Amino acid sequence: MRVAHIITRMIVGGAQENTLLNCLDLRQHWGDEVVLVTGPSMGPEGKLLDQGGAAELDTQVIESLQRAISPRRDFTALNALKKFIGTYKPDVVHTHSAKGGILGRQAAWSMQVPAIIHTVHGAPFYPYQNAIVRNFYRMCETWAAKRCHHLISVADAMTDLMVSAGVAPREKFSTIYSGMDTQPYLRSESERSAARQRFELQPDDIVIGKIARLFELKGHEFVLKAAPAIVAKCPKVKFLFVGDGNLRDSLTREIANLGLQRHFIFAGLVSPNEVPNCVAAMDILVHTSLREGLARALPQALLAGKPAISYDIDGAREVVIENETGILLPPRSIDQLAEAVIRLANDSDLRIQMGRAGRLLCETRFDHGFMTEQIRNLYVRILNQSSRKTL
């Protein structure tokens, strides 16, 4: 089949990795003709398509397809998408991200594409937004949901959120977890010694990792607020932040103000291929974001046998099973975060037990081949339904 994936930008991020792997799998393992349509990748998050693995993929860059709202530019992008679809004539258009999803679905719907799918990696509306902005995005998603045949959620929690907001009925959603190359995480323990040397860690250091862009809503500030209490009880603790962004300088200043410079390590922006090595250096993962679909960092850590401590947001509880694979905490909590880190830092047997349980839970459901098989089966089902309607 002919498949076009549409996404706003291919930065280094979970939704982008998901999309890239899906495109490559469809081409390599199913023999499909695939084009990835994207806007320019601007900003400090990096460019995923420049980091290898995508050389054989046909890509189309539409300069006007950008994240920021601009009626004139968005209208230009919509027309460019329509022109592309008219020329390419895809059987399936699969959209991702808010802007790519809204413009892509409208373009595909107007061109009567037989199967239009949208993946909800994370809802564009969330509790911490201004109410007017939140309602605007909810209305946009409701409008766009009428211009596709089916929606994929990366977590059951995303379906619950969208259905409760009236975006679309539950039967229009399927949950397909965001796939990744699981093998580097499953075997990452063999890299532990080298990974810890890379970050100049001592053998008895307890490493608390966080994998996230250094941006608002990712929750690094909560880790900093909990850090003094953690270090007071566990002086061998080191915090490893993997990712980069516009908060780097302010976080560095705050760490200096706390006098905890020797307890924090910034890995900076790393390619997806380097993330398993970073995880190998960790003992525990903390996830303190306030908005995610289902953060890839959680299954990544669990696949590597590392327990996770997470705020109970969106899809986190679907992999962080309380006292089995990790610990769930109320969002924004500080004291409980410190207590949870101290508890696991002081109990290596519990870390091992939770890590093993997490690996068993995630090994199959987060494999990118399994993800693509489910997605392609959905394509076939929608195409079959579409063909019956035209008879």
Side-chain angles (χ1 to χ4, degrees), residues 154-229:
V154 297
D156 290 337
M158 288 293 92
T159 297
D160 294 340
L161 175 63
M162 301 293 268
V163 171
S164 64
V167 169
R170 189 170 294 275
E171 58 268 21
K172 201 167 184 174
F173 290 86
S174 296
T175 294
I176 300 177
Y177 290 109
S178 186
M180 63 191 73
D181 185 358
T182 59
Q183 290 305 311
Y185 295 97
L186 292 170
R187 61 173 182 260
S188 66
E189 193 61 24
S190 63
E191 300 181 17
R192 180 175 173 83
S193 178
R196 290 172 73 91
Q197 288 179 15
R198 169 185 176 183
F199 296 112
E200 299 181 353
L201 295 162
Q202 299 303 311
D204 57 347
D205 284 338
I206 304 298
V207 180
I208 314 302
K210 180 165 175 56
I211 306 172
R213 291 179 294 140
L214 306 182
F215 273 64
E216 292 78 7
L217 298 177
K218 293 299 184 181
H220 295 85
E221 68 272 24
F222 304 119
V223 178
L224 265 59
K225 290 178 181 177

Side-chain angles (χ1 to χ4, degrees), residues 19 41 47 53 73 78 93 119 143 268 301 339 378 383:
T19 303
S41 298
K47 299 178 180 180
R73 189 172 57 222
L78 177 62
V93 165
T119 292
W143 178 86
E339 290 169 6
L378 177 61
L383 285 170

Side-chain angles (χ1 to χ4, degrees), residues 80-144:
L81 288 169
K82 287 181 181 179
K83 182 179 179 180
F84 164 78
I85 291 169
T87 301
Y88 185 62
K89 296 183 175 13
D91 301 301
V92 179
V93 165
H94 188 160
T95 64
H96 309 262
S97 72
K99 179 66 74 67
I102 290 170
L103 296 181
R105 279 179 279 180
Q106 171 59 19
W109 192 258
S110 69
M111 301 298 288
Q112 299 182 323
V113 174
I116 305 168
I117 315 295
H118 177 68
T119 292
V120 182
H121 297 277
F125 53 90
Y126 47 92
Y128 305 101
Q129 277 174 315
N130 173 280
I132 295 174
V133 174
R134 184 168 64 248
N135 193 50
F136 170 75
Y137 282 125
R138 184 192 63 77
M139 289 190 296
C140 288
E141 286 297 318
T142 303
W143 178 86

Side-chain angles (χ1 to χ4, degrees), residues 1 90-94 108-109 112-118 145 147-152 171-174 176 373-390:
M1 62 180 72
D91 301 301
V92 179
V93 165
H94 188 160
W109 192 258
Q112 299 182 323
V113 174
I116 305 168
I117 315 295
H118 177 68
R147 287 157 178 79
C148 66
H149 299 100
H150 204 79
L151 296 108
I152 295 171
E171 58 268 21
K172 201 167 184 174
F173 290 86
S174 296
I176 300 177
E373 181 180 3
Q374 293 176 89
I375 289 174
R376 197 178 190 280
N377 288 341
L378 177 61
Y379 293 169
V380 172
R381 175 159 65 87
I382 299 302
L383 285 170
N384 287 339
Q385 292 172 352
S386 179
S387 64
R388 285 197 296 270
K389 288 178 183 178
T390 59

